[in-house]
Amino acid sequence: MDTTLCVEQSQTAEAADIVAMPKERTLTYTEAIREATDMEMARDPNVIVFGLDVDDPKAIQGTTKGLLDKYGSERVFGTPLSEDAMTGVAIGAALAGLRPIHVHIRMDFLMLSMNQLVNVGAKSSYMFGGAVHVPLVVRSMIGKSWGQGAQHSQGLYSYFMHVPGMKVVCPTTPYDAKGCLIEAVRDDNPVMFVEHRILHFQKGPVPAASYTVAPGKARITAEGDDITLVGISYMQLECLRAQRYLADVGINAEVIDPIWLAPLDIDTIAASVRKTGKLCVVDNGWTTCGASAEIVAQVLERLQGTRDIRVMRMGFANTACPTSPTLEAEFYPDARRVASAAYDMVHGRKKNWMPEERVDLRQIEFKGPF
Amino acid sequence: MHEQFYKSLFRIRRVEEEIARIYPTDKLKSPVHLSIGQEAVSVAVCEALRPEDVCFGTYRSHAMYLAKGGDINGMVAEMYGKQTGCTKGKGGSMHLVDTKAGVMGTSAVVGTTIANAVGYAYAMKLQRKKVVTTVFFGDGATEEGVFPESLNFAVLKNLPVLFICENNGYAIHTSQAKRQGHPHITERAKAAGVQSSCVEDNDCLELHGQVKSAVEAMRAGTSGPRFFECKTYRWKEHVGPNEDFGLGYRTPSEAKRWIENDQVTKIAALVPEATRKAIEAEVEAEVKAAFEFAEASPFPDVSELMTDVFHTPCAATPSEAVRKAA
């Protein structure tokens, strides 16, 4: 295929993405989070922000920068290293009408909060017959690269997808980061707001005004007829890059960003697979009992018997995350491997094709030291 | 004062005796953790609180619910699994709630509500409300990590929260001595920086006096969190309506001194006989009516299964429900 044409195609695809978005300003993902938090705190005095280090000089990658000065230490405070109790405190404060945003600088640390989140936060509305509700946002970040290792790298959102009473959102763009966070703060239920450290560096158009991105609506980020790629969290970027590699060889992949994992917009994904007949879900987590397994199962339940469907899940290697760069690179799916797998699915058999790396589609690595 | 105390104590005792009496019929569709023998703690504390004050509790919180003013019909109907129950048949005995009475919820997972109460107290302080938040929990809960974590945060933020540890000596069938290397819970609370005291012998009036002055200090803004270890004793089995001395983990002779020191009987003796009889007649009628209400109430419609998973403000309004029905 002519190289010039390829570049044009990819530029067209990129332009198409942006057409749907307002062009007025460009912010980073972290700036979008900060702005959403600031706007909601200004709008509603019941919004408070707390968590380990939210008020320290680094201010959670800048996402809470300036909030302490603006809103004071009663509404913005660092906490003791007590995730269990502080999650219980967040739920208790929410029961009293506050709208806490509880921040965890790594998603791995949420394991210390599971009891309160699963047994109390997600259950209170139901087990008290609707007498109370828990308007809580839990922000957490998934780490990647520069040797983050086994306990700083886990994407564990599928744990929360499993539990009724909880919403889960993994925005991948600055636009969605702002809109989803505002939506999450205004929601009357617990919302797990999942960020990714690499996504923090993303820049994109973000309107200055307040807006929300509604739960349960996915976004088609690239249109195509040959195969459906669903990329979750950071893997959305790898899927968009894979789409470019596939375009180089004449395969038109449709890429979908589910944005919200609970509630999940299976309609948009199934409609795409009805068209393409091939579904590859690329997850920023393990595949077993993961978000990718859930999406594949729901699509098959919906479409089985209506047409031939090929499905595939890609995610973390079935091991803990290693720290050495060579092992770490092998641990994660990346654009070229996604493209290779999609190529096989489109051709219906193993072709051992792997695209040459394009400089413009290289991963943006987090640079240490941490 | 004694009249009010007696009425509350006697009312709790009679409701739970009725639960125990009816339980073998299987009409009560809920595991019940009876408070019989422990009523004094709830009454002593709740009589020091105002309606707008808030309580959190445990799976053994029938006493707290009633002492705080929770609706008796809603509680009994809840145990029957009826639509008119305080959680519409979704929570049962272990998840009682009556927000109008300040009963903010009870939990079946030990220790969880300790942190919830601290968070509630934080909100009250931030909103400049003169509300005292109380949490009831057992001796077992003090072994959970959430207990010292919550004490620490309450002290750090100087929150008006009342920690009430109902120490009945057992977590299910295991004695405190088998579980705690340093079985002095009050000392552990003190070590966290919480002003703390221990009230022996299930003494309703003594505990009330101490709690009342603590609560008044909190309202005046001169006291942060306070901790009370309340020694008490559960007469019945961990869960269910029966005695369980046959299991061998505790003996009738151990129970004897607690039963002889029954606070329902002790406070009754402080009330003139005519008044006492009037109270008893009033309570008996109320209890009877509550069980009749529960029996007569319908079970929830199956459509209730999927409501309340999420709170949706629109769907909760009557006008919306009417519109949907139309």
PDB file of all heavy atoms in Angstrom, chain A residues 38-54:
ATOM      1  N   ASP A  38     -12.822  21.539  40.594  1.00  0.00           N
ATOM      2  CA  ASP A  38     -12.956  22.942  40.997  1.00  0.00           C
ATOM      3  C   ASP A  38     -14.366  23.453  40.706  1.00  0.00           C
ATOM      4  O   ASP A  38     -15.016  24.074  41.560  1.00  0.00           O
ATOM      5  CB  ASP A  38     -11.906  23.768  40.223  1.00  0.00           C
ATOM      6  CG  ASP A  38     -11.821  25.213  40.709  1.00  0.00           C
ATOM      7  OD1 ASP A  38     -12.493  25.556  41.705  1.00  0.00           O
ATOM      8  OD2 ASP A  38     -11.088  25.999  40.089  1.00  0.00           O
ATOM      9  N   MET A  39     -14.871  23.150  39.523  1.00  0.00           N
ATOM     10  CA  MET A  39     -16.201  23.656  39.152  1.00  0.00           C
ATOM     11  C   MET A  39     -17.287  23.060  40.039  1.00  0.00           C
ATOM     12  O   MET A  39     -18.208  23.767  40.461  1.00  0.00           O
ATOM     13  CB  MET A  39     -16.498  23.313  37.678  1.00  0.00           C
ATOM     14  CG  MET A  39     -15.621  24.090  36.714  1.00  0.00           C
ATOM     15  SD  MET A  39     -15.921  23.629  34.994  1.00  0.00           S
ATOM     16  CE  MET A  39     -17.104  24.872  34.540  1.00  0.00           C
ATOM     17  N   GLU A  40     -17.172  21.771  40.350  1.00  0.00           N
ATOM     18  CA  GLU A  40     -18.192  21.146  41.197  1.00  0.00           C
ATOM     19  C   GLU A  40     -18.096  21.629  42.638  1.00  0.00           C
ATOM     20  O   GLU A  40     -19.105  21.798  43.322  1.00  0.00           O
ATOM     21  CB  GLU A  40     -18.090  19.619  41.118  1.00  0.00           C
ATOM     22  CG  GLU A  40     -18.619  19.052  39.823  1.00  0.00           C
ATOM     23  CD  GLU A  40     -20.053  19.481  39.532  1.00  0.00           C
ATOM     24  OE1 GLU A  40     -20.971  18.950  40.172  1.00  0.00           O
ATOM     25  OE2 GLU A  40     -20.255  20.378  38.687  1.00  0.00           O
ATOM     26  N   MET A  41     -16.872  21.880  43.110  1.00  0.00           N
ATOM     27  CA  MET A  41     -16.712  22.392  44.477  1.00  0.00           C
ATOM     28  C   MET A  41     -17.270  23.809  44.578  1.00  0.00           C
ATOM     29  O   MET A  41     -17.846  24.193  45.600  1.00  0.00           O
ATOM     30  CB  MET A  41     -15.240  22.372  44.893  1.00  0.00           C
ATOM     31  CG  MET A  41     -14.700  20.964  45.058  1.00  0.00           C
ATOM     32  SD  MET A  41     -13.073  20.923  45.833  1.00  0.00           S
ATOM     33  CE  MET A  41     -13.525  21.088  47.566  1.00  0.00           C
ATOM     34  N   ALA A  42     -17.118  24.589  43.502  1.00  0.00           N
ATOM     35  CA  ALA A  42     -17.651  25.950  43.498  1.00  0.00           C
ATOM     36  C   ALA A  42     -19.179  25.933  43.433  1.00  0.00           C
ATOM     37  O   ALA A  42     -19.850  26.749  44.043  1.00  0.00           O
ATOM     38  CB  ALA A  42     -17.082  26.722  42.311  1.00  0.00           C
ATOM     39  N   ARG A  43     -19.703  24.966  42.722  1.00  0.00           N
ATOM     40  CA  ARG A  43     -21.150  24.875  42.516  1.00  0.00           C
ATOM     41  C   ARG A  43     -21.872  24.372  43.752  1.00  0.00           C
ATOM     42  O   ARG A  43     -22.971  24.800  44.081  1.00  0.00           O
ATOM     43  CB  ARG A  43     -21.436  23.923  41.336  1.00  0.00           C
ATOM     44  CG  ARG A  43     -22.884  23.819  40.909  1.00  0.00           C
ATOM     45  CD  ARG A  43     -23.073  22.712  39.855  1.00  0.00           C
ATOM     46  NE  ARG A  43     -22.775  21.385  40.365  1.00  0.00           N
ATOM     47  CZ  ARG A  43     -23.631  20.625  41.055  1.00  0.00           C
ATOM     48  NH1 ARG A  43     -24.829  21.054  41.316  1.00  0.00           N
ATOM     49  NH2 ARG A  43     -23.270  19.426  41.497  1.00  0.00           N
ATOM     50  N   ASP A  44     -21.238  23.397  44.447  1.00  0.00           N
ATOM     51  CA  ASP A  44     -21.937  22.692  45.528  1.00  0.00           C
ATOM     52  C   ASP A  44     -21.038  22.621  46.761  1.00  0.00           C
ATOM     53  O   ASP A  44     -20.019  21.925  46.752  1.00  0.00           O
ATOM     54  CB  ASP A  44     -22.282  21.272  45.040  1.00  0.00           C
ATOM     55  CG  ASP A  44     -23.098  20.482  46.062  1.00  0.00           C
ATOM     56  OD1 ASP A  44     -23.228  20.944  47.220  1.00  0.00           O
ATOM     57  OD2 ASP A  44     -23.593  19.401  45.697  1.00  0.00           O
ATOM     58  N   PRO A  45     -21.417  23.315  47.840  1.00  0.00           N
ATOM     59  CA  PRO A  45     -20.570  23.303  49.045  1.00  0.00           C
ATOM     60  C   PRO A  45     -20.472  21.934  49.711  1.00  0.00           C
ATOM     61  O   PRO A  45     -19.643  21.737  50.602  1.00  0.00           O
ATOM     62  CB  PRO A  45     -21.268  24.307  49.973  1.00  0.00           C
ATOM     63  CG  PRO A  45     -22.673  24.394  49.477  1.00  0.00           C
ATOM     64  CD  PRO A  45     -22.618  24.133  47.991  1.00  0.00           C
ATOM     65  N   ASN A  46     -21.309  20.992  49.278  1.00  0.00           N
ATOM     66  CA  ASN A  46     -21.239  19.646  49.859  1.00  0.00           C
ATOM     67  C   ASN A  46     -20.152  18.776  49.241  1.00  0.00           C
ATOM     68  O   ASN A  46     -19.894  17.670  49.717  1.00  0.00           O
ATOM     69  CB  ASN A  46     -22.597  18.943  49.712  1.00  0.00           C
ATOM     70  CG  ASN A  46     -23.637  19.545  50.637  1.00  0.00           C
ATOM     71  OD1 ASN A  46     -23.355  19.794  51.807  1.00  0.00           O
ATOM     72  ND2 ASN A  46     -24.815  19.811  50.109  1.00  0.00           N
ATOM     73  N   VAL A  47     -19.528  19.264  48.170  1.00  0.00           N
ATOM     74  CA  VAL A  47     -18.464  18.471  47.542  1.00  0.00           C
ATOM     75  C   VAL A  47     -17.167  18.672  48.334  1.00  0.00           C
ATOM     76  O   VAL A  47     -16.740  19.808  48.573  1.00  0.00           O
ATOM     77  CB  VAL A  47     -18.256  18.872  46.063  1.00  0.00           C
ATOM     78  CG1 VAL A  47     -17.112  18.064  45.454  1.00  0.00           C
ATOM     79  CG2 VAL A  47     -19.547  18.670  45.264  1.00  0.00           C
ATOM     80  N   ILE A  48     -16.582  17.562  48.772  1.00  0.00           N
ATOM     81  CA  ILE A  48     -15.293  17.612  49.468  1.00  0.00           C
ATOM     82  C   ILE A  48     -14.331  16.631  48.789  1.00  0.00           C
ATOM     83  O   ILE A  48     -14.774  15.689  48.123  1.00  0.00           O
ATOM     84  CB  ILE A  48     -15.419  17.290  50.977  1.00  0.00           C
ATOM     85  CG1 ILE A  48     -15.925  15.858  51.202  1.00  0.00           C
ATOM     86  CG2 ILE A  48     -16.346  18.283  51.667  1.00  0.00           C
ATOM     87  CD1 ILE A  48     -15.900  15.410  52.672  1.00  0.00           C
ATOM     88  N   VAL A  49     -13.037  16.896  48.960  1.00  0.00           N
ATOM     89  CA  VAL A  49     -12.010  16.049  48.330  1.00  0.00           C
ATOM     90  C   VAL A  49     -11.024  15.617  49.400  1.00  0.00           C
ATOM     91  O   VAL A  49     -10.487  16.460  50.126  1.00  0.00           O
ATOM     92  CB  VAL A  49     -11.248  16.817  47.234  1.00  0.00           C
ATOM     93  CG1 VAL A  49     -10.149  15.946  46.638  1.00  0.00           C
ATOM     94  CG2 VAL A  49     -12.193  17.282  46.138  1.00  0.00           C
ATOM     95  N   PHE A  50     -10.833  14.313  49.522  1.00  0.00           N
ATOM     96  CA  PHE A  50      -9.814  13.867  50.461  1.00  0.00           C
ATOM     97  C   PHE A  50      -9.194  12.554  50.017  1.00  0.00           C
ATOM     98  O   PHE A  50      -9.695  11.860  49.145  1.00  0.00           O
ATOM     99  CB  PHE A  50     -10.361  13.784  51.882  1.00  0.00           C
ATOM    100  CG  PHE A  50     -11.482  12.789  52.079  1.00  0.00           C
ATOM    101  CD1 PHE A  50     -11.213  11.463  52.394  1.00  0.00           C
ATOM    102  CD2 PHE A  50     -12.796  13.194  51.980  1.00  0.00           C
ATOM    103  CE1 PHE A  50     -12.236  10.560  52.593  1.00  0.00           C
ATOM    104  CE2 PHE A  50     -13.830  12.297  52.176  1.00  0.00           C
ATOM    105  CZ  PHE A  50     -13.552  10.973  52.483  1.00  0.00           C
ATOM    106  N   GLY A  51      -8.085  12.247  50.650  1.00  0.00           N
ATOM    107  CA  GLY A  51      -7.338  11.039  50.303  1.00  0.00           C
ATOM    108  C   GLY A  51      -5.886  11.280  50.649  1.00  0.00           C
ATOM    109  O   GLY A  51      -5.474  12.427  50.900  1.00  0.00           O
ATOM    110  N   LEU A  52      -5.102  10.237  50.643  1.00  0.00           N
ATOM    111  CA  LEU A  52      -3.686  10.378  50.938  1.00  0.00           C
ATOM    112  C   LEU A  52      -3.077  11.403  49.991  1.00  0.00           C
ATOM    113  O   LEU A  52      -3.199  11.273  48.779  1.00  0.00           O
ATOM    114  CB  LEU A  52      -2.964   9.042  50.730  1.00  0.00           C
ATOM    115  CG  LEU A  52      -3.233   7.920  51.721  1.00  0.00           C
ATOM    116  CD1 LEU A  52      -2.397   6.699  51.358  1.00  0.00           C
ATOM    117  CD2 LEU A  52      -2.949   8.381  53.128  1.00  0.00           C
ATOM    118  N   ASP A  53      -2.476  12.445  50.546  1.00  0.00           N
ATOM    119  CA  ASP A  53      -1.648  13.381  49.770  1.00  0.00           C
ATOM    120  C   ASP A  53      -2.404  14.332  48.847  1.00  0.00           C
ATOM    121  O   ASP A  53      -1.790  14.976  48.004  1.00  0.00           O
ATOM    122  CB  ASP A  53      -0.594  12.625  48.937  1.00  0.00           C
ATOM    123  CG  ASP A  53       0.271  11.716  49.794  1.00  0.00           C
ATOM    124  OD1 ASP A  53       0.395  12.002  51.001  1.00  0.00           O
ATOM    125  OD2 ASP A  53       0.796  10.723  49.270  1.00  0.00           O
ATOM    126  N   VAL A  54      -3.724  14.447  48.970  1.00  0.00           N
ATOM    127  CA  VAL A  54      -4.408  15.366  48.048  1.00  0.00           C
ATOM    128  C   VAL A  54      -4.004  16.821  48.310  1.00  0.00           C
ATOM    129  O   VAL A  54      -4.141  17.667  47.434  1.00  0.00           O
ATOM    130  CB  VAL A  54      -5.952  15.264  48.109  1.00  0.00           C
ATOM    131  CG1 VAL A  54      -6.433  13.867  47.782  1.00  0.00           C
ATOM    132  CG2 VAL A  54      -6.508  15.731  49.447  1.00  0.00           C
TER     133      VAL A  54
END
